[in-house]
Amino acid sequence: MTSEPTTPGAAAASGARTLPPFRADHVGSLLRPAALKRVREEHAAGRASAAELRAAEDEAIRDVVALQREAGLRTATDGELRRQSWHMDFIYSLGGISKVHDESLRVKFHNADGDIEWAPPSAHVDSKLRLDGTIFGDAFTFLRETVSEGQTPKLTIPSPSMVHYRGGRAAIDETVYPDMDAFWTDLTAAYAAQVRGVHELGCRYLQLDDTSLAYLNDPEQRQHVAGIGGDPEHQHETYIANINRALAGRPADLRVTTHMCRGNFASSWVASGGYDFVAEALFGGLDVDGFFLEYDDERSGGFEPLRFVPKDKQVVLGLVTTKRPELESKDGLKRRIDEASRFIDLDQLCLSPQCGFSSTLEGNDLTVDDQKRKLALIVETADEVWGGA
């Protein structure tokens, strides 16, 4: 049943969008199929070749592209199926960064059953930062060649902030970068080259994933920043300025969004808190076309910060959780969209899951069928609210 608009903003909706983000969209990662996980394990054990792993990835990506098409989505990603994690594969591919195992940098995730403490590998900047080649270039080319007519291939990469956030100054060799301005200059130059490189490969929809800008709303995370020598009151402003440097001069036909969540690992999260602390600087200052925002439960706060979003930008409301299998109510989603439209025009809104389904290869506690149902619900709801997905 289609809900009638109940606010002045709701009456302004104008149907499907011709440019991304689309009315029905999704963040990027999708559950890894069991067959692909087995081949990846075999490869790690030396019992499957790199070519066999690549062939398994190719087959799985063809399947998830079809899954997205069948759900009615106009966005298509490769599900990040070639990656171990949403961000570290990219970061380790930047020149000047090495992979380190540092048990002192532990991350505490939370879920309904308790806490998970984890010390994932981290990154250390030990020489000048550079881009040696377009990262994920081959992966995007395969995606571009696999999508069907009407599907817009989207590439997701971590934002420049993610190179800095977890370790801060201590993860950057002071003999290489005694001056942090030089670090940011080289990092944003590498990102600018990456942006140009993916555009040359045909990418017209790029997403920068950035947990830090959501984490910094949490007082405990600001304490973490202070503890590693950062500036908890202004670090988000530094990140915004440097993302803008990386995007400056990007091609006019390249649409760029950013996605912010508070952690997503095995149906668990890290941070809590609404967007209030960063909202004015973030929404008013970050030079992107749209914001994917986590809004699936009370950890994300209210919609009031959306009043800072300029009229020329979109907000993709992440109202459908990827952390639990239960399917949301369509009417409940419509009520939430209606609530958001009190602070931002309905025509500026879109709908998506709150995060990816599998930010790391482990994936969240859902089945592929759960994933399909949630994506289909997003498309159906968007079509009823806006007159097109």
Side-chain angles (χ1 to χ4, degrees):
M1 181 176 70
T2 303
S3 299
E4 292 297 321
T6 59
T7 69
S14 60
R17 288 177 49 76
T18 58
L19 294 172
F22 299 110
R23 295 298 186 196
D25 217 314
H26 78 103
V27 169
S29 68
L30 297 166
L31 293 169
R32 274 63 163 176
L36 177 57
K37 285 185 175 182
R38 285 195 296 272
V39 176
R40 192 174 296 285
E41 289 170 1
E42 292 290 300
H43 178 257
R47 294 189 293 270
S49 68
E52 288 171 320
L53 175 59
R54 176 75 184 202
E57 291 170 343
D58 289 353
E59 180 180 0
I61 289 166
R62 292 187 189 100
D63 288 343
V64 297
V65 167
L67 181 153
Q68 292 165 83
R69 182 180 63 249
E70 290 161 6
L73 290 162
R74 295 164 65 196
T75 301
T77 74
D78 65 4
E80 301 177 5
L81 300 190
R82 300 191 196 277
R83 308 184 203 179
Q84 297 280 330
S85 84
W86 63 275
H87 61 322
M88 297 311 296
D89 296 61
F90 181 95
I91 291 172
Y92 295 143
S93 297
L94 286 167
I97 291 180
S98 60
K99 182 177 183 178
V100 295
H101 294 270
D102 185 350
E103 291 291 323
S104 68
L105 286 173
R106 305 189 72 81
V107 182
K108 183 177 285 189
F109 287 84
H110 316 284
N111 60 45
D113 298 323
D115 293 340
I116 303 170
E117 196 166 87
W118 185 37
S122 56
H124 190 266
V125 178
D126 48 21
S127 62
K128 292 289 186 180
L129 293 169
R130 64 192 184 278
L131 186 76
D132 294 325
T134 302
I135 301 170
F136 301 154
D138 289 346
F140 179 79
T141 298
F142 182 86
L143 174 64
R144 187 199 69 213
E145 293 172 348
T146 301
V147 297
S148 302
E149 185 177 355
Q151 288 184 295
T152 298
K154 176 168 77 168
L155 177 65
T156 63
I157 64 173
S159 86
S161 315
M162 303 315 303
V163 178
H164 176 270
Y165 183 77
R166 185 169 172 227
R169 186 67 178 90
I172 303 165
D173 192 321
E174 291 195 36
T175 65
V176 176
Y177 288 114
D179 178 2
M180 285 298 292
D181 287 344
F183 162 82
W184 286 114
T185 294
D186 287 355
L187 179 61
T188 56
Y191 264 82
Q194 169 75 11
V195 170
R196 292 192 299 271
V198 299
H199 183 266
E200 289 170 3
L201 293 174
C203 180
R204 298 297 181 267
Y205 189 6
L206 178 67
Q207 181 173 294
L208 302 180
D209 292 323
D210 193 317
T211 58
S212 71
L213 291 169
Y215 278 22
L216 286 166
N217 291 286
D218 188 328
E220 290 187 8
Q221 287 295 313
R222 295 201 293 276
Q223 288 178 5
H224 162 75
V225 168
I228 60 174
D231 180 355
E233 296 304 310
H234 300 286
Q235 189 152 299
H236 65 292
E237 296 167 350
T238 297
Y239 288 167
I240 291 164
N242 283 294
I243 294 170
N244 287 347
R245 288 173 70 184
L247 295 175
R250 68 182 182 270
D253 61 347
L254 177 63
R255 300 285 291 181
V256 179
T257 59
T258 189
H259 165 250
M260 290 164 281
C261 82
R262 296 157 181 81
N264 189 53
F265 168 68
S267 289
S268 304
W269 63 88
V270 173
S272 298
Y275 295 96
D276 306 78
F277 182 78
V278 303
E280 189 167 6
L282 172 67
F283 297 139
L286 189 64
D287 186 18
V288 296
D289 299 298
F291 303 93
F292 280 76
L293 301 180
E294 181 179 53
Y295 265 122
D296 64 324
D297 62 23
E298 65 280 356
R299 289 184 306 110
S300 304
F303 295 122
E304 293 84 356
L306 300 183
R307 70 188 186 276
F308 293 112
V309 178
K311 296 292 187 184
D312 62 343
K313 297 185 188 298
Q314 300 296 128
V315 167
V316 188
L317 296 174
L319 300 177
V320 174
T321 192
T322 65
K323 289 182 165 58
R324 299 180 302 279
E326 294 80 14
L327 191 64
E328 286 77 2
S329 153
K330 190 182 295 183
D331 284 341
L333 295 178
K334 291 178 181 180
R335 283 192 294 271
R336 293 282 281 156
I337 294 167
D338 187 61
E339 290 171 17
S341 72
R342 299 171 191 169
F343 303 98
I344 181 173
D345 195 290
L346 182 67
D347 200 41
Q348 291 179 255
L349 295 175
C350 305
L351 180 63
S352 78
Q354 51 68 229
C355 198
F357 288 89
S358 188
S359 295
T360 63
L361 61 85
E362 292 84 358
N364 284 347
D365 188 19
L366 300 91
T367 67
V368 171
D369 284 341
D370 295 330
Q371 177 179 258
K372 289 179 181 178
R373 284 191 288 269
K374 285 178 179 277
L375 293 175
L377 174 65
I378 289 165
V379 173
E380 292 167 11
T381 305
D383 188 53
E384 293 184 14
V385 171
W386 288 284

